Amino acid sequence: MSIEKKPRIVIIGGGTGLPVLLRGIKKYPVDITAIVTVADDGGSSGRIRDEMDIPSPGDIRNVMAALSDVEPLIEQMFQHRFKTSNELAGHSLGNLIIAALTSITGDFVHAIQEMSRVLNVRGKVLPAANQSVVLHAEMEDGTIVSGESKIPFSGKKIKRVFLTPEVIHPMPETIRAIRKADLIVVGPGSLYTSILPNLLVPELGKEVCNAKARKVYICNLMTQAGETLDFTASDHVKAIYDHMDCSFIDTILVNNEEIPTIIQEKYKEELAKPVVYDVEKLVALGIDVIYDKFVTYHDGVIRHDTEKVAKILYSLLDQPLMNVDSK
């Protein structure tokens, strides 16, 4: 008797949005590959990256925790952040473990694989690149801001972002995963500092463009000061296309639920407001639009409803891809 293969989903992103999504989709009978940005240069991740010259481990750590199937205390320990006044201050235990395993095995990806076994991770977690990379932003006034953590606080509008060094090689495993995928999901996450750093890895972005799988973009719920101030949903898409060699998004998920005024008032302090889902412009771009109540609230913070988004993504696996050559 042949065992039916699970459908393959590749999810690309980073930041806080990706782990939220993964906690929902891991409950379905799917083969998950998470491709995660390694451009973070702030806090514990940045210190480890600079001191050891390895890819930033922070976003990788959060994704592994989200996909792990261990006792809550083990996950809590892995995510623990030290609040001492010495060299450990601000470091996450998980970051230190990944750094230690990288030293022991001699390879960042091998370290992730070993840690994934320890945490009983459901799926594969792969860095967008197996080397240290730096994210830069060219602003509309021509100035360059270097460092993922500094870009949102420049006080200027972003024209484009780019990576150094110039030659960056993606993992062969990421290329294979993209080619074999039945569904490719991009987002949610900070547009310029979590999403694009993955797609800007040259061969990785090219493979996403050429992949036969349906490509779904999960649009952010709120705009982000320093990155997407006053952006509509179509502005997010156009920014991605401006950085790519193709118009590749087949389907977009946007929230159409009114954000309560009390929540909006809180986000006003961050100059953030709900992303407007301009359906007509999205349709004009050749994109299928799925809009629903995708928002949940945790302690006054807005997050995607992981259960609802995961259910829709899983349902898309059974839907034929239309107008493949229309873009």
Side-chain angles (χ1 to χ4, degrees):
M1 184 186 297
S2 63
I3 299 174
E4 188 176 345
K5 287 185 177 180
K6 294 180 181 178
R8 301 182 179 101
I9 297 182
V10 169
I11 305 179
I12 302 172
T16 58
L18 185 55
V20 169
L21 173 60
L22 291 171
R23 289 185 188 277
I25 199 68
K26 76 175 183 181
K27 297 174 183 177
Y28 287 83
V30 292
D31 183 340
I32 301 170
T33 298
I35 299 175
V36 189
T37 179
V38 287
D40 183 15
D41 66 344
S44 170
S45 289
R47 287 159 61 190
I48 289 173
R49 187 192 74 166
D50 294 341
E51 290 172 16
M52 296 186 61
D53 191 28
I54 65 172
S56 175
D59 284 354
I60 292 278
R61 183 196 81 244
N62 287 328
V63 166
M64 283 198 290
L67 286 173
S68 67
D69 188 13
V70 291
E71 292 295 327
L73 184 61
I74 301 298
E75 182 185 339
Q76 190 178 351
M77 180 183 71
F78 185 66
Q79 291 286 63
H80 176 73
R81 194 173 294 278
F82 293 97
K83 297 178 180 178
T84 58
S85 57
N86 56 24
E87 291 84 356
L88 283 174
H91 272 306
S92 159
L93 180 60
N95 287 352
L96 296 174
I97 293 173
I98 294 169
L101 281 171
T102 302
S103 292
I104 292 167
T105 64
D107 181 71
F108 184 68
V109 172
H110 192 183
I112 294 168
Q113 291 169 344
E114 292 299 325
M115 197 66 237
S116 293
R117 276 194 277 272
V118 172
L119 292 173
N120 196 20
V121 166
R122 296 190 186 186
K124 291 184 284 293
V125 180
L126 299 171
N130 192 17
Q131 65 191 94
S132 182
V133 300
V134 179
L135 182 68
H136 310 267
E138 179 186 354
M139 301 300 173
E140 286 201 333
D141 65 358
T143 58
I144 304 293
V145 177
S146 298
E148 181 268 347
S149 63
K150 299 180 183 67
I151 291 169
F153 301 101
S154 67
K156 300 175 181 179
K157 191 172 181 180
I158 299 170
K159 180 181 179 182
R160 69 181 181 106
V161 290
F162 60 98
L163 298 172
T164 57
E166 285 188 19
V167 179
I168 302 171
H169 298 292
M171 299 296 303
E173 295 94 327
T174 64
I175 300 303
R176 284 197 295 269
I178 290 168
R179 288 177 179 175
K180 292 180 179 180
D182 297 300
L183 186 71
I184 297 172
V185 181
V186 177
S190 298
L191 178 62
Y192 289 103
T193 54
S194 291
I195 302 300
L196 282 169
N198 293 291
L199 299 173
L200 288 175
V201 174
E203 291 302 312
L204 196 157
K206 182 179 177 182
E207 290 293 338
V208 170
C209 286
N210 293 336
K212 293 182 173 63
R214 180 193 297 271
K215 295 117 182 177
V216 182
Y217 175 52
I218 302 176
C219 190
N220 291 344
L221 300 168
M222 303 291 289
T223 61
Q224 187 174 354
E227 290 204 37
T228 56
L229 192 66
D230 296 325
F231 270 38
T232 64
S234 68
D235 289 331
H236 283 75
V237 172
K238 288 174 184 174
I240 293 173
Y241 287 176
D242 286 344
H243 285 78
M244 304 285 284
D245 292 327
C246 69
S247 304
F248 66 91
I249 296 169
D250 300 300
T251 304
I252 186 170
L253 270 61
V254 292
N255 174 60
N256 69 346
E257 173 76 5
E258 185 74 24
I259 307 295
T261 303
I262 190 169
I263 301 291
Q264 289 197 46
E265 288 296 327
K266 180 180 178 181
Y267 273 86
K268 269 186 181 178
E269 299 171 15
E270 304 172 17
L271 301 179
K273 56 187 180 183
V275 173
V276 175
Y277 60 105
D278 45 350
V279 176
E280 289 185 4
K281 289 185 177 180
L282 292 168
V283 171
L285 289 169
I287 302 173
D288 292 327
V289 183
I290 298 176
Y291 47 92
D292 203 336
K293 177 187 174 182
F294 290 127
V295 65
T296 58
Y297 309 96
H298 299 280
D299 299 323
V301 177
I302 295 175
R303 291 283 182 265
H304 277 88
D305 184 331
T306 181
E307 306 290 342
K308 183 173 285 188
V309 172
K311 184 178 181 180
I312 287 177
L313 292 177
Y314 188 69
S315 73
L316 289 175
L317 288 164
D318 294 326
Q319 296 182 20
L321 185 57
M322 307 297 288
N323 301 322
V324 175
D325 299 318
S326 65
K327 292 187 174 57

